Amino acid sequence: MILEKPSSLLMTFNPHNILVIDFGQLGDVVLSLPALRAIRERFPQARIIVVVGKPGADVVNLSGFANATFVVDRVALRDGPKLVSIGRIAKLVKKVRSEKFDFVIDLHSLSETNLLGFLSGAPKRLYSRRPGRSLDFLGDFSPRPPVEEDHRTRHLIDRYLDVLIPLGVTNAERLPRLRTRPEDDKAIDKLLKKEKAEAGSPLIGLFPGAGHASRRWPLERFAELADYLVRNDGVRPVVFAGPEERPLLARMKTLFPRSAIIFDKLTIPQLAAAQARLAVLVSNDTGPMHIAAAVGTPVVLLLDRRAPESYIPLGDQHRVIYSGTIPEISVDEVYGATRALLAGGRTATLFAS
């Protein structure tokens, strides 16, 4: 990270107790990691608390960029019964005010999060400026960050980093990175040993879920891909299922090859540890896909052409397969991309040995 020549204001600005509001979904929080890292590097001695949803809190805690997290049920706050939601919001505001923050940074910037920052009592507030979505006039930091550009053209990582421009942050490291924890590595070792997969065949991950049906490649295609990889490349498929995929478990066990390993009860830190073991992950557009990229695993991402490129993982080790709609993507296309990444990894290992 490079700091621009600081103004006299920035030279004297040294907050000690910072609240970062990071209310995005799981994948958004992973893509916010470069901004969180830049905040930590800009204020290395400060106490940094991130208010975030539960899955995202696990990601923030893994990153090591914050001293602690305040976990918020974003959906319950927004969609719960009004009186209950108001009570929860009041409780959150009381908790935030009790911490006596001297600086608030709102990376995601929704009207409700801008209001939370305003009610925190912090004397300085730096908000992302999102026309039609934020109440960024409640922020009072000067200079102000640039107005957010079209989300379809500017990558979310850069939109988060744009918020920090008034702090003199430029040329920050853009790649999200996560390191796994020893206790989670051991838990995955135990599970792989139970499946007799702790050594030998490469592991290819498959994530057939997604937040919306329009973003899901058919489960039968994932199973056919797994069969190709087992028969032709001698790999062990590892199928990941989150809470939303639990209703599909019975079909998964029927469709996928007998050698496939199905992980359906992993925590987010365990998911990161498991994905770090993979040679490749094939995935729909999901938060877990971003976790895989952050732990260094090559990803084959399946997208329809309507999806903006501003959310795809950065780096040249990933492959994105586009089609008019997700079901139009063929197994042969995905197999070819997966096999190319698998072969590239094997070649790299050969030359490194």
Side-chain angles (χ1 to χ4, degrees), residues 6-24:
S7 67
S8 57
L9 171 64
L10 290 184
M11 289 176 67
T12 58
F13 184 63
N14 187 29
H16 299 287
N17 197 18
I18 301 172
L19 177 68
V20 178
I21 303 176
D22 197 355
F23 257 31

Side-chain angles (χ1 to χ4, degrees), residues 14 64 69 93 98 107 154 165 192 207 211 219 242 273 275 279 322 336-337 351:
N14 187 29
T69 55
V93 169
S98 71
L107 293 174
R154 187 157 178 78
I165 290 175
L192 291 176
F207 201 100
L219 188 62
Q275 291 181 333
Y322 290 101
F351 280 101

Side-chain angles (χ1 to χ4, degrees), residues 73-330:
D73 187 336
R74 298 168 55 249
V75 176
L77 281 182
R78 185 187 64 214
D79 299 334
K82 285 201 172 188
L83 288 178
V84 176
S85 293
I86 290 170
R88 286 172 174 153
I89 292 169
K91 186 176 180 180
L92 176 61
V93 169
K94 182 178 180 181
K95 181 177 182 180
V96 167
R97 289 184 68 87
S98 71
E99 296 290 336
K100 301 187 184 307
F101 293 105
D102 51 11
F103 188 33
V104 174
I105 303 173
D106 191 343
L107 293 174
H108 206 65
S109 215
L110 301 170
S111 56
E112 59 267 32
T113 60
N114 291 161
L115 188 59
L116 174 63
F118 179 75
L119 294 174
S120 73
K124 288 293 179 184
R125 300 176 300 279
L126 175 60
Y127 292 168
S128 171
R129 300 169 67 192
R130 306 179 69 194
R133 301 200 68 182
S134 63
L135 302 176
D136 52 271
F137 61 86
L138 294 176
D140 64 349
F141 199 88
S142 181
R144 302 177 77 192
V147 175
E148 181 183 82
E149 295 183 19
D150 182 1
H151 76 280
R152 300 187 67 85
T153 60
R154 187 157 178 78
H155 203 284
L156 182 58
I157 289 172
D158 298 311
R159 283 182 275 145
Y160 284 142
L161 288 171
D162 284 347
V163 183
L164 309 182
I165 290 175
L167 299 175
V169 174
T170 61
N171 297 318
E173 167 64 50
R174 295 175 71 232
L175 284 180
R177 300 184 192 278
L178 283 174
R179 296 181 65 180
T180 60
R181 303 182 306 193
E183 59 267 35
D184 301 309
D185 294 332
K186 289 179 181 177
I188 296 304
D189 282 341
K190 187 175 180 180
L191 290 173
L192 291 176
K193 187 174 182 179
K194 183 179 178 181
E195 298 285 348
K196 298 181 172 57
E198 71 275 19
S201 300
L203 303 177
I204 299 291
L206 306 171
F207 201 100
H212 193 275
S214 66
R215 301 206 314 250
R216 295 183 202 131
W217 201 41
L219 188 62
E220 291 80 7
R221 305 270 181 88
F222 273 104
E224 189 176 347
L225 173 66
D227 188 59
Y228 275 27
L229 289 163
V230 170
R231 288 189 290 108
N232 298 330
D233 301 281
V235 307
R236 289 290 301 273
V238 181
V239 185
F240 296 96
E244 293 178 350
E245 290 75 52
R246 297 271 162 76
L248 300 175
L249 281 175
R251 286 184 63 212
M252 288 180 181
K253 291 174 182 177
T254 300
L255 290 171
F256 283 92
R258 291 182 63 185
S259 62
I261 301 164
I262 298 178
F263 285 153
D264 67 312
K265 295 179 181 178
L266 301 182
T267 64
I268 294 293
Q270 288 171 350
L271 175 67
Q275 291 181 333
R277 307 299 180 85
L278 303 176
V280 183
L281 174 74
V282 181
S283 179
N284 297 314
D285 184 13
T286 65
M289 175 273 297
H290 287 292
I291 292 175
V295 297
T297 296
V299 168
V300 176
L301 172 59
L302 313 179
L303 285 179
D304 69 40
R305 293 199 179 277
R306 296 167 296 177
E309 295 187 3
S310 50
Y311 295 88
I312 65 175
L314 300 181
D316 58 7
Q317 66 173 343
H318 309 300
R319 300 289 181 272
V320 181
I321 300 178
Y322 290 101
S323 189
T325 63
I326 295 288
E328 293 176 25
I329 298 173
S330 71

